[in-house]
Amino acid sequence: MSLSDADAEESAFSGQNDQLVSGKDLEQPTLTNSGDEDEFSDEEDDEEPALRYKRLGGNVHALFEKDTASTLTASERFLVLGTHWGNVIIIDFEGNEVKKWRAHSTTVNSVSVDIDNEYVASAGDDGRVVVHGLYTDDVTIVNYSRPVKAVALDPYYSRKASRRFVSGGTAGQLIMYEKKWFGKSDSILFTSAGPIQTIRWQENLIVWACDEGVQIYNTDQGTRISQIARPEGSPRPDLYTCRLHWKDSHTLLIGWANFVQVVVLKERAQQQSPALGFTGTDNDSRPLLYAEVSVMYRTDFIVCGLALYRDNFLVFTYGDHQMIEGITAEDDTQIPREEQQHRMRNAPPPELRMIDRNIEEVSSDVLPLEGFQLLQPNDYGLAYCAAHSSSASAKSPRPENEFDDNSAGAQTNEADTWFILSPKQLVSV
């Protein structure tokens, strides 16, 4: 498979090992249960595959019999699953349910966890944002009347009295909720012509996607520092969910429809004024940081999730060049209804691709997940779980409880792990 319009102005992977990972193209991945039974045929080859897959076991199968997953996020201790029946479920990395509550009357669109793994926020089509304490009875419910598509907790939510979170949805407003000494407050940070689809909060930076593109906001300065416009030739912004992933506080990965971008945040050069004794200029009120697109390329697939694996892009994908040619050349309103129904009943299986920083495909694994024939790109997701950091955990004065008893993630988060989501299945990589 070829990637077209590859353009890498500079590497966004500074400071990492220059050695690129080599892989082997696999017609089928090695996908197993948490037990000993292999799910797919084909015995393992003598040569070690680039990636290993495991279908989560535990009682997650029982959960999927009565409900379907709609969204997923991962912390270093557990996974948080949102469902179409309005449930929020905490599961460990083996697929065992740890905690569950009904937060919404309809689909959960987004979930978020603070850095101390003490609070979980969820946003739903019922117009509510619910923040639920995992170790206390602390519950905050805010009703915005219109469907809320995305929510993100302040990473230090549990440590701050302000209890901040941001949310957005079909109203087109990015809203900051916080507690102040005189009561609770909602502040509109941004208004879009279309819905707010995806939000991620990293340290003091909030990033979100809307019709105008991807926006970045600095909470310390209280200002929007950059807008990354959607690439020319992109499909309509409402057709495919924008996928955002913070590599670190200065590197952002964006996957939107059939485009991948790497955005690097840099400090703006300031001039020293000896006479005035400070840096900067009298009239320079620009943000201290600015965003630069260091890598951008067009693909022949739809991006359903992305992250980094060593020096490579790890991209969860849907479709092929024929599909891309169709969506870029046609408006859905012009496609005959019969053709739309045929496409919906004959969807291809998703793939997990490894792409190096020269924009060359290293490996591609087809993942025949349950019911893939009826699924669309927005039905899938990819969640990243960083390797466990004992120093980070030590900073949180968290009481002992049932999460410790389950040892969530103790066996699997010694290394970076990715979790692939479909409505009826969870797979770890």
Side-chain angles (χ1 to χ4, degrees), residues 87-246:
N87 293 310
V88 176
I89 307 169
I90 309 296
I91 60 176
D92 66 21
F93 294 133
E94 297 299 322
N96 301 299
E97 179 185 322
V98 178
K99 198 177 184 74
K100 176 181 177 181
W101 62 91
R102 182 78 182 274
H104 302 271
S105 60
T106 184
T107 298
V108 179
N109 294 312
S110 175
V111 287
S112 176
V113 186
D114 71 322
I115 198 170
D116 292 323
N117 304 302
E118 294 188 13
Y119 285 87
V120 171
S122 58
D125 276 344
D126 58 359
R128 304 201 313 171
V129 171
V130 179
V131 183
H132 198 286
L134 296 180
Y135 313 113
T136 68
D137 295 328
D138 186 8
V139 177
T140 299
I141 301 175
V142 183
N143 195 330
Y144 290 108
S145 300
R146 297 180 64 179
V148 184
K149 297 299 183 181
V151 65
L153 284 175
D154 182 337
Y156 300 100
Y157 183 93
S158 66
R159 307 182 194 182
K160 296 180 179 179
S162 59
R163 295 293 201 244
R164 298 185 300 176
F165 65 79
V166 286
S167 63
T170 58
Q173 295 177 331
L174 183 77
I175 300 175
M176 170 81 78
Y177 171 93
E178 60 183 321
K179 293 182 179 179
K180 299 182 178 180
W181 67 271
F182 54 82
K184 301 171 184 177
S185 171
D186 280 342
S187 303
I188 299 175
L189 305 183
F190 183 81
T191 301
S192 170
I196 306 293
Q197 338 183 339
T198 310
I199 307 172
R200 296 288 183 268
W201 193 332
Q202 172 83 6
E203 296 293 339
N204 63 337
L205 298 173
I206 301 172
V207 60
W208 68 94
C210 56
D211 282 11
E212 291 80 4
V214 173
Q215 319 289 327
I216 304 176
Y217 182 93
N218 188 314
T219 58
D220 289 344
Q221 294 182 281
T223 184
R224 185 164 56 104
I225 64 173
S226 187
Q227 171 176 299
I228 298 95
R230 293 190 308 115
E232 185 178 351
S234 299
R236 290 201 333 255
D238 58 314
L239 290 179
Y240 302 104
T241 300
C242 180
R243 315 293 178 155
L244 301 172
H245 174 70
W246 284 106

Side-chain angles (χ1 to χ4, degrees), residues 267-332:
E267 293 187 2
R268 194 180 302 278
Q270 295 182 321
Q271 297 178 355
Q272 184 73 31
S273 176
L276 298 175
F278 65 88
T279 47
T281 63
D282 292 328
N283 299 322
D284 192 358
S285 60
R286 296 177 299 174
L288 297 179
L289 293 176
Y290 70 96
E292 179 178 284
V293 178
S294 63
V295 176
M296 183 178 75
Y297 60 90
R298 186 195 305 264
T299 73
D300 56 7
F301 47 73
I302 297 296
V303 178
C304 299
L306 76 168
L308 291 177
Y309 177 72
R310 301 180 186 177
D311 281 348
N312 298 324
F313 293 99
L314 195 63
V315 189
F316 186 36
T317 72
Y318 177 100
D320 54 22
H321 68 281
Q322 293 181 339
M323 175 185 173
I324 297 299
E325 290 172 357
I327 64 172
T328 54
E330 300 172 326
D331 186 326
D332 275 355

